[in-house]
Amino acid sequence: ACSFGSQLAGIVVALAFCVALVRRRWWPLFVCLGLCVLATAAAQHAARSFHPRHVGPVEGWVTVATDPTPMGKGVRLTLEVQGERFDAWIYGGRRVKALELAAGEQVWLMGERTQARALDHRLAVRHVVGRLRVDVLADVRSGNGVARLSNRVRRTLRASANATMDASHAALFTGLVIGDDAAQPKWMVDEFRSSGLSHLTAVSGQNVAFVILGASPLLRRLRPWSRWAVTLGLIAWFMALTRFEPSVIRAGVMAGLAATAFAWGGRLSPLRLVAWAVVLVLLTDPFLVWSVGLWMSVGATVGVSVLGPRIAAALPGPKWFRTGAGVVLGAQAGVLVPSVAVFHRLPVVSLVANPLAVPVAGLVMLVGLPIGVLAASLPQWAARPLMAVPVICTRWVALVARVAAWAEPTPGWSALCWAFVLVIVLLAVVRQRRNRAASAGVPI
């Protein structure tokens, strides 16, 4: 898997570079070939590094690499020891202590490191090289300044949500705002997957755009290059806050490239921004080529920014309908392959659920972070009215997901519905083109 992943990473980087640069010129093709070789070599070097340099007993302070993940009766905790990551499974009474940890913190422990039985792409994506048996889990201390700030904000948002919502809606709120959906119950996860709304709890370009939009009053007051530096710093901090998930890495790199191009007085098309982002992300971390989150993020971005406007231009009807339909159909087309290949589903109800839920979820993403942080500093009688809008919007998104999941037909009927939608869209496109040709006086 690692060998195939290295070859695939090189091919993807080369194709993305072609999209980014080729303008009917021959020389970028040679650059693509060299870049393909470079990416493949980098990926193979990374594959060789996925074997632990040190195994055996460990005693002392280690760093929590990612937030704890509840799995069944245990907790999976990824720990960084001497620059290498190991998965630890915590059960029993220590489970509660493990759940209180956060990425970036340090914990004192005693245990033993072993090499993983099989290093596959699921471990490679997370940079995990082995297992760590934990015998003693003791003191905890804060990490660096960025980790302390990020963890404080995340805990503040959780406190505000838990004080004003029930547990399931509080988990959904933090998932919408910062992608912290670890506490979501299984039934809610299933509802969002069945309704085609699971992308809302995966931080992406929409969240990054809302963060920049919220800071725009301050950014407008700065000089161009100061604005550029502050924008990049804000993007980097938000990526740290959301734990550098593959989707937010892609979105952050795209936003950084757009800000850099704007500072230089230029502009890149959305397709080229995506292509450059893929190149930089996979050269930095080649094994993200296995990340389903990155596939979905890139596919949805290309679908919305490239296919969406073309579909909207070809459809009949008022502008608001054509724009919304183009965005939804473009996004569904962009995630078609990974959705079917990995999740074996592409919910047809998502065509209705997304227009109903996405604008409301966007409002939560826009105001949830500042309102949640502010509400935590107020008494409960003042925090509840302040959190009223996020509470109502979060409940609406959950209601749409529940109704859509209930209304989703069986796989056979879903495929038939998709075929019907495809036929309707094709007929509408043909009719619209005929009407335009007739109005222009062009013989059909």
Side-chain angles (χ1 to χ4, degrees):
C2 291
S3 177
F4 178 71
S6 65
Q7 303 295 331
L8 186 60
I11 294 172
V12 171
V13 168
L15 292 177
F17 190 78
C18 284
V19 175
L21 282 187
V22 171
R23 292 182 178 180
R24 295 181 181 178
R25 300 175 183 175
W26 57 268
W27 64 266
L29 297 178
F30 291 96
V31 179
C32 290
L33 180 61
L35 198 60
C36 179
V37 174
L38 176 63
T40 302
Q44 290 177 343
H45 174 73
R48 288 191 295 270
S49 68
F50 275 95
H51 296 276
R53 298 187 303 272
H54 307 284
V55 295
V58 57
E59 178 180 351
W61 293 97
V62 300
T63 302
V64 181
T66 61
D67 289 328
T69 304
M71 303 189 75
K73 296 182 179 180
V75 176
R76 187 184 69 194
L77 197 61
T78 303
L79 303 169
E80 186 171 320
V81 186
Q82 296 178 322
E84 297 179 321
R85 291 188 177 187
F86 295 83
D87 272 346
W89 298 85
I90 313 297
Y91 296 93
R94 292 175 298 176
R95 182 179 186 274
V96 177
K97 184 179 182 64
L99 285 172
E100 296 175 351
L101 298 174
E105 294 181 338
Q106 293 183 322
V107 59
W108 194 95
L109 59 77
M110 294 177 59
E112 184 173 0
R113 293 166 290 180
T114 59
Q115 183 173 340
R117 295 179 180 178
L119 291 174
D120 57 17
H121 62 273
R122 291 171 295 181
L123 296 177
V125 168
R126 298 189 295 113
H127 295 267
V128 173
V129 299
R131 296 285 298 270
L132 174 60
R133 189 192 75 238
V134 177
D135 299 322
V136 177
L137 195 66
D139 297 337
V140 180
R141 64 187 184 188
S142 302
N144 55 35
V146 175
R148 289 196 300 270
L149 177 60
S150 300
N151 292 332
R152 184 175 302 173
V153 172
R154 292 173 71 91
R155 285 169 175 153
T156 299
L157 285 175
R158 288 196 207 106
S160 297
N162 290 327
T164 55
M165 311 178 197
D166 59 77
S168 59
H169 289 106
L172 176 57
F173 170 78
T174 55
L176 293 174
V177 177
I178 56 174
D180 182 12
D181 58 352
Q184 275 189 331
K186 186 178 183 301
W187 58 265
M188 179 174 279
V189 174
D190 292 338
E191 287 179 352
F192 272 74
R193 287 179 178 174
S194 299
S195 60
L197 296 177
S198 58
H199 63 92
L200 294 178
T201 57
V203 179
S204 61
Q206 189 177 9
N207 300 77
V208 176
F210 282 139
V211 168
I212 297 176
L213 178 63
S216 59
L218 171 64
L219 296 176
R220 291 195 191 101
R221 298 176 180 270
L222 301 176
R223 295 181 179 274
W225 286 106
S226 299
R227 183 190 310 153
W228 171 78
V230 173
T231 300
L232 293 188
L234 183 63
I235 294 171
W237 172 77
F238 187 73
M239 291 168 67
L241 177 66
T242 53
R243 305 310 196 207
F244 294 100
E245 291 293 326
S247 58
V248 79
I249 291 176
R250 189 276 312 162
V253 172
M254 278 189 65
L257 291 172
T260 303
F262 181 79
W264 281 97
R267 186 179 179 183
L268 292 174
S269 66
L271 182 59
R272 295 194 174 217
L273 280 175
V274 175
W276 276 113
V278 171
V279 170
L280 295 177
V281 167
L282 291 185
L283 281 179
T284 304
D285 188 355
F287 282 97
L288 281 180
V289 74
W290 291 112
S291 170
V292 179
L294 184 65
W295 299 350
M296 299 287 285
S297 178
V298 172
T301 303
V302 173
V304 170
S305 60
V306 179
L307 299 178
R310 298 184 179 183
I311 295 175
L315 293 176
K319 184 177 180 180
W320 63 268
F321 169 77
R322 291 187 287 110
T323 301
V327 169
V328 173
L329 292 173
Q332 295 301 315
V335 301
L336 172 64
V337 174
S339 294
V340 175
V342 178
F343 302 110
H344 309 293
R345 68 176 79 181
L346 186 64
V348 69
V349 292
S350 62
L351 295 176
V352 178
N354 275 280
L356 292 175
V358 169
V360 181
L363 181 60
V364 178
M365 297 173 189
L366 178 62
V367 304
L369 185 58
I371 287 182
V373 172
L374 179 60
S377 62
L378 300 176
Q380 191 169 3
W381 62 267
R384 285 189 174 277
L386 185 63
M387 288 286 292
V389 172
V391 169
I392 294 173
C393 293
T394 300
R395 289 178 177 175
W396 170 258
V397 174
L399 177 62
V400 172
R402 172 165 295 186
V403 174
W406 172 81
E408 172 66 11
T410 59
W413 283 104
S414 180
L416 185 62
C417 291
W418 275 114
F420 179 75
V421 170
L422 179 61
V423 171
I424 293 297
V425 171
L426 291 177
L427 291 177
V429 170
V430 172
R431 181 178 179 182
Q432 183 70 2
R433 288 187 174 181
R434 287 183 176 178
N435 291 339
R436 291 178 180 176
S439 62
V442 178
I444 302 175

